[in-house]
Structures are given as structure tokens and as C-alpha cells.
Amino acid sequence: MKRKQLFTLLVILIIAMMALAACGAPATEAPPPTEAPAAQPTEAPPPTEAPSQEGIEPAKEIVIYNWSDYVAPEMYDLFEQETGIKVIEDNFSSNEDLLAKLQGGAAGYALIVPSDYTVAIMIEEGMLAKLDHNNIPNLKNLDEEFTKMYYDPGNEYCVTYLWGTTGIGYNKDQLEKPPTSWKQIFEAQESDPWYGRMTLLDDVREVFSAALIYLGYDNNSTDEAQLAEARDLLINAKKGISGFDSDTYEELIGSGENLVAHGWNGDFLQADDEFGNIGYLIPEEGGTIWIDNMCIPATATPEEKLAAEMYINFVLRPDIGAMLADYTYYATPNKAALAEMSEEYTGNPIIFPPDEVRAKLRLIKPLGEFESVYQRMWDEIKAAQ
Ligand code: N2P
């Protein structure tokens, strides 16, 4: 081969190698950006995975601040057997008591049970911790209706515990004709058998709601003249009642000491279970409806918070939710629990009021600064002779 031919061959060979290298190149390049999402590095873990707070152990003991007669007694023992976490219960009698206690700096509560309007106030004031839904997989059992509540859409802070109504309970054995209107309560006559043998809730917003509804006003009125009218009505009504009571009124009806009480539906049904002589109705002018919630105070430690979330998850189990509903006779928001309940419960019109009664039920709403006017007039009612 001549030198020139050899040189030409070499050039061809080099060109061919370069072409070959160029062809192969794309194979080593990164995949086009449109294929990248396959890696999905930011996706959340499924909710059933282990709690996300690494290194945090649940508290060994928690204190739940709850209404009285508002849990199935065996629930705390069962929770302790299953988790080793001991539950201690402390009781409050009204949303205002609960709020004042926490605003006063009380710490040590891992779980509280405020009603709807009080949740709104507490969120506004930064008093609640956000829930870690990873620790509450049973949230899927909550009826969708309760994931859309105006005071906490999406259950960022709270999970509905139970809901119910406020009306009139009475002793069926001793009263042939119970009072069916607020007029017979607030303007009771000495000739009425329940005169002096009746209690009103020790609860500012509940009592004002009943009086305002009777007077034909909005139960969340912010008209001071209307409120003053309700206050005067209530001061006058004091002579016909034996007291304000939110904790023992239903037993006093059952025992026959009292004949009529303003109170909560489930409490009367519980007492009826015990005494077998109690009726309940929503007065013709209307009553209130409320939704109570499990929430964690912002003051809870991370360990208490984790234990409280485990307790919320426990309550949301179908069997535990059913146990709670069965004992308290309040309405459960847990659809998996509801599916386990008897017809006697699901068909009870005192627990699940029919539409014509529902139409007469009002929510108590948060009123901001104006709440202090209610409180001042409530103090005046309490102080009046
Ligand atoms: C139960 C109290 C019912 C709660 N004793 C009223 N929100």
C-alpha cells in the first residue's frame, strides 16, 4: 500500500469511528425531562405507615378534660390494656368553663372536648395543636359531613366526638302533660306541677339561646336590647326553678326530686336507661343542636400529643365508636360505628331528630367581643335575688 493510500484509509477509519461514537452517544444521555416523574421523590407515605415523629414515644399517662357522663366507662381501661397509656379524666360543665380554664394557663391536658363555636374561638386564639393525620388512619371512618364543619374544615385541629340536641327532659310517671313550650318554662305558674321542681342548664349560651328563641329572636343575637329582654325574662324565671345545673339534672328527674329539666338529649336517655321514667322533647319554638370535638391543646407536649392522637384513632375505630354511642346515647359521627349499631339506636328520634324537628334546631355561633355582653348579663342573672 502506497503512503497516500494508507493515509486515506486512516482518515476514513477515523471518520467512521467518530460517526460510530456519535451514534452511540444518546444512549448514555439522561432521559428527557418528561420521563423524570417516575422517581416520585416527594410523595407522602401512605397513612397506615408508622407515626412520623421519629424518636417520640407516647406519654405513659394522659389527662382528658371532658364533659361528665360522656364516655363508656370501659373505654379508658381498654385503651390502657392495648397501648399501656393510662387515661385520667377531669370534667368541666360548660364550654365557658373549659375556655376560662385553658385561658388561665392550665396545662397538662392532652385532649379536650369543646363544642363547635368554642373550637372556632380556640383556633382563632391559637389554643389548639394541628393534628398529624398520619397518626389517625381511622379518620377514614368519619362521616364526610363531619369533615366539612365551618369551624374546622378538613379536620385540621379536631375530630367530631358526638353530637346532640338541647331541649326539655321530664318525669313521665309524674307528669301526664309535660311542658311543650318555653313559655311554660320561663313563665311557669305556681299551679304548674314543675314550678320549683325544675332546673336550667348552668350554661350562658344555652340558656340565652332558649330565652331568645322563646322571645322570637335569633339565638345568636348581638342586639343589646334583645339580650336585656332575655335577661329580664330569665331573672323573673328564677323563682320557678330550683337551680342551674349541667351535671346532675337528669338523675334528679329520674329520682322524682325534680320534674322538668333543660338539658342534653343523651343525658336524659342515659338516665332513662337507669330509671325508666324519662321523656324528652324539643319545645315547639325550637332548641339548639351542637357538635362536640376531640382536640389537642397547644400546650400538650409532643409525647402527650402523640398519645392523644392514638386515643382519637382508638375512638374512631368501629367497635369503640359503637361502644361510645351505645353507652352515651349521643349521635355518632363515625359511619363505620353507625353500621354496627342496632335499629333501636339508629331509629331513635331523640338521637336522630326527624326533619321537622331538625328544622327548629339552631347552632350556637361564636360572637367575638360581644360574648362579654352575654357574660355580663349572665352574671346579673346569677346575682339577682
Ligand atoms: C354530656 C354533655 C353533653 C355535651 N353530659 C354538651 N355539649
Side-chain angles (χ1 to χ4, degrees), residues 107-322:
Y109 294 121
L111 196 79
I112 55 176
V113 190
S115 304
D116 40 71
Y117 71 100
T118 304
V119 170
I121 296 169
M122 289 182 160
I123 291 175
E124 168 104 12
E125 295 194 9
M127 295 170 74
L128 299 180
K130 277 198 184 174
L131 301 175
D132 184 343
H133 285 196
N134 289 320
N135 296 337
I136 315 174
N138 291 337
L139 209 47
K140 65 177 190 301
N141 292 335
L142 192 66
D143 191 305
E144 208 199 330
E145 187 187 346
F146 298 95
T147 66
K148 296 178 188 158
M149 293 288 125
Y150 81 89
Y151 51 88
D152 182 31
N155 306 96
E156 260 193 282
Y157 293 93
C158 305
V159 175
T160 313
Y161 184 61
L162 293 166
W163 64 269
T165 67
T166 311
I168 292 296
Y170 57 94
N171 185 307
K172 278 196 295 206
D173 290 346
Q174 295 192 42
L175 278 186
E176 224 169 274
K177 277 172 54 193
T180 54
S181 97
W182 288 116
K183 183 177 175 62
Q184 292 166 284
I185 304 287
F186 295 131
E187 297 187 27
Q189 305 297 308
E190 272 178 71
S191 54
D192 291 325
W194 53 85
Y195 188 89
R197 294 173 73 186
M198 140 175 100
T199 55
L200 293 180
L201 283 170
D202 192 1
D203 190 303
V204 52
R205 295 300 304 279
E206 286 282 22
V207 172
F208 266 102
S209 283
L212 289 164
I213 288 172
Y214 166 53
L215 292 171
Y217 300 137
D218 180 351
N219 71 302
N220 296 301
S221 173
T222 53
D223 178 325
E224 218 168 313
Q226 292 179 353
L227 237 60
E229 204 180 325
R231 173 203 56 200
D232 295 345
L233 174 78
L234 291 164
I235 288 174
N236 194 48
K238 274 181 78 175
K239 59 183 191 308
I241 65 169
S242 60
F244 294 97
D245 177 8
S246 297
D247 297 301
T248 59
Y249 60 87
E250 69 278 28
E251 279 108 42
L252 297 178
I253 301 290
S255 70
E257 181 171 334
N258 280 338
L259 298 181
V260 170
H262 171 219
W264 296 302
N265 60 337
D267 284 21
F268 290 116
L269 289 168
Q270 283 174 49
D272 186 47
D273 217 15
E274 190 183 339
F275 296 96
N277 59 357
I278 298 179
Y280 176 81
L281 56 86
I282 298 292
E284 57 208 31
E285 301 94 333
T288 60
I289 183 168
W290 39 264
I291 300 118
D292 289 341
N293 308 273
M294 297 180 275
C295 317
I296 302 176
T299 50
T301 64
E303 292 77 14
E304 286 170 336
K305 182 171 183 279
L306 180 56
E309 285 166 341
M310 288 166 68
Y311 186 78
I312 293 173
N313 196 52
F314 173 77
V315 173
L316 283 169
R317 253 166 52 182
D319 57 332
I320 304 299

